Amino acid sequence: ASWLSAETGHDVAVCGDREPLRPGRIYLAADECHLVVRGRQDVCSIKAPPRGFHRPSINELFDSVAKHFGGSAVSILATGMGSDGVEGMNRMRSAGAQTIAQAPESCVVPSMPQSAIRAGAAIWTLGPDEIAGALQTFASHARSSRAQASSGASPCERAGDA
């Protein structure tokens, strides 16, 4: 965790039983545990059997995000081996989330994002710099939507139909 924090400049936490979700913080699963969100405010490591030979499994995390955050979430499958994360990314896409696979040609090990692309789980296929820009766009759109919703304008007025 300390190496990742030094490399990224972000706060990094290895999750225990329950950690509050904080903007800008990176969460890691504890050894031999899955990382999942509980409700919309907490993240935790859980002891559970491996899923598809993986523990932690990205599918477990993505499934919990789809359940608790639905269309307000974003999932990214980046360089990696195998197909862990594809089922969960499909659930996130079905829940209305934005789903991104790293462009295989930019990957050190492309099989995870390739699996997501082949399965139709990824809405977007982007290179690393494009992923960063997409995240900024999604975050800006979410902030704008929240501001409009709290302004008291009717949905028609917000959409420009008034």
Side-chain angles (χ1 to χ4, degrees):
S2 59
W3 171 86
L4 186 58
S5 180
E7 289 294 313
T8 64
H10 289 282
D11 183 28
V12 178
V14 176
C15 288
D17 290 335
R18 201 167 280 252
E19 298 278 336
L21 284 170
R22 294 188 197 146
R25 189 173 212 192
I26 298 170
Y27 296 92
L28 303 174
D31 289 341
E32 298 300 315
C33 292
H34 297 294
L35 185 67
V36 297
V37 295
R38 298 281 187 193
R40 292 181 62 93
Q41 310 226 345
D42 297 309
V43 62
C44 62
S45 291
I46 60 166
K47 294 231 181 240
R51 182 166 169 188
F53 305 106
H54 303 285
R55 188 176 52 203
S57 170
I58 301 166
N59 283 318
E60 292 289 332
L61 175 61
F62 284 177
D63 286 352
S64 68
V65 171
K67 176 181 176 182
H68 296 291
F69 289 93
S72 64
V74 178
S75 66
I76 302 168
L77 268 179
T79 188
M81 187 180 303
S83 61
D84 185 33
V86 174
E87 292 172 18
M89 183 178 263
N90 261 323
R91 281 185 200 48
M92 289 187 69
R93 183 173 182 168
S94 294
Q98 296 292 329
T99 58
I100 302 170
Q102 182 179 348
E105 63 274 9
S106 69
C107 295
V108 174
V109 181
S111 61
M112 282 173 60
Q114 284 173 333
S115 295
I117 295 163
R118 278 195 297 270
I123 297 170
W124 309 95
T125 301
L126 305 171
D129 291 337
E130 296 169 307
I131 291 171
L135 289 173
Q136 290 173 335
T137 299
F138 297 149
S140 176
H141 177 72
R143 282 190 297 273
S144 174
S145 295
R146 282 193 303 271
Q148 288 177 348
S150 67
S151 73
S154 73
C156 291
E157 290 171 321
R158 288 194 303 267
D161 294 337

